[in-house]
């Protein structure tokens, strides 16, 4: 269990802590700031584990499997919390979660064929937009409602574009027996 893998496990363990701070009605606003701090910490572990793993040659099969799973768990948990708190319509969350499941499925098919699929630039834009959206929605600062809506719909649009591009770029993987 190397440092990048420990950071990935930490990110998974932070998800229920994040959800508790998001959904349990503690008195005052301190819980939203705690949720924000936990989300940012978990997001930073994602940046750190990848950089450390690549820099020091610590890439493992566990990390290849768990890192993207931990990322999806964190983001999907936040999105579901936003549905519960009436900050995002469920239909938008369904589209975003469906994209993540579809991409995971394509990656599993590719892995079964011995192919590793890299993220594309649209996926990186989507992830960045979702992270910024999540931070803004957790903070829930009065006066930023228009920015919140722009980020929600930008995340949705980038989700759809990144899925389309990903499926098109990797269409050969979906043909049985083709790399």
């Amino acid at each position: 269990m190397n440092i990048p893998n420990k950071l990935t496990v930490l990110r998974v363990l932070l998800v229920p802590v994040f959800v508790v701070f998001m959904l349990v009605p503690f008195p005052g606003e301190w819980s939203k700031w705690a949720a924000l701090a936990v989300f940012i910490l978990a997001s930073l572990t994602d940046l750190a584990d990848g950089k450390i793993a690549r820099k020091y040659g610590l890439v493992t099969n566990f990390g290849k499997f768990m890192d993207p799973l931990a990322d999806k768990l964190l983001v999907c948990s936040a999105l579901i919390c936003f549905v519960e708190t009436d900050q995002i319509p469920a239909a938008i969350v369904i589209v975003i979660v469906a994209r993540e499941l579809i991409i995971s499925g394509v990656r599993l098919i590719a892995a079964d064929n011995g192919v590793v699929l890299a993220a594309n630039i649209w996926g990186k834009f989507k992830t960045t937009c979702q992270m910024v959206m999540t931070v803004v929605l957790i903070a829930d600062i009065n006066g930023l409602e228009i920015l919140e809506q722009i980020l929600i719909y930008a995340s949705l649009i980038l989700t759809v574009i990144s899925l389309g591009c990903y499926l098109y770029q990797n269409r050969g993987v979906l043909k049985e027996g083709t790399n």
Side-chain angles (χ1 to χ4, degrees):
M1 186 60 75
N2 60 34
I3 290 173
N5 289 344
K6 288 178 182 177
L7 289 171
T8 297
V9 170
L10 174 62
R11 187 162 60 259
V12 170
L13 295 174
L14 287 173
V15 170
V17 176
F18 166 74
V19 170
V20 166
F21 285 130
M22 281 293 294
L23 298 181
V24 174
F26 294 106
E29 288 197 351
W30 70 268
S31 62
K32 89 172 177 183
W33 299 114
L36 182 61
V38 171
F39 183 83
I40 290 171
L41 175 63
S43 297
L44 291 175
T45 68
D46 182 31
L47 288 173
D49 69 14
K51 287 184 188 252
I52 293 168
R54 285 185 296 277
K55 183 174 181 178
Y56 295 103
L58 299 173
V59 176
T60 64
N61 287 334
F62 176 85
K64 287 179 193 175
F65 175 75
M66 282 302 297
D67 182 63
L69 186 62
D71 297 345
K72 287 170 185 21
L73 185 60
L74 178 64
V75 170
C76 290
S77 295
L79 292 170
I80 292 166
C81 287
F82 295 141
V83 171
E84 178 70 18
T85 58
D86 292 324
Q87 291 175 279
I88 296 183
I92 291 174
V93 172
I94 290 168
V95 170
I96 293 172
V97 170
R99 182 253 185 221
E100 299 305 330
L101 294 173
I102 291 166
I103 296 295
S104 293
V106 171
R107 284 192 171 137
L108 283 173
I109 293 168
D112 191 48
N113 290 323
V115 177
V116 176
L117 300 179
N120 66 35
I121 191 69
W122 290 104
K124 293 180 188 301
F125 289 151
K126 181 253 337 158
T127 299
T128 301
C129 188
Q130 283 179 353
M131 293 300 181
V132 172
M133 174 196 72
T134 301
V135 167
V136 170
L137 287 173
I138 295 169
D140 196 26
I141 298 170
N142 288 331
L144 294 183
E145 292 82 7
I146 292 173
L147 176 61
E148 290 174 355
Q149 292 302 306
I150 289 168
L151 289 168
I152 289 168
Y153 286 98
S155 290
L156 176 63
I157 291 165
L158 289 170
T159 293
V160 172
I161 290 171
S162 68
L163 175 62
C165 290
Y166 195 85
L167 291 176
Y168 181 77
Q169 289 170 344
N170 298 295
R171 63 193 177 278
V173 170
L174 299 174
K175 296 177 183 171
E176 193 159 339
T178 306
N179 289 340

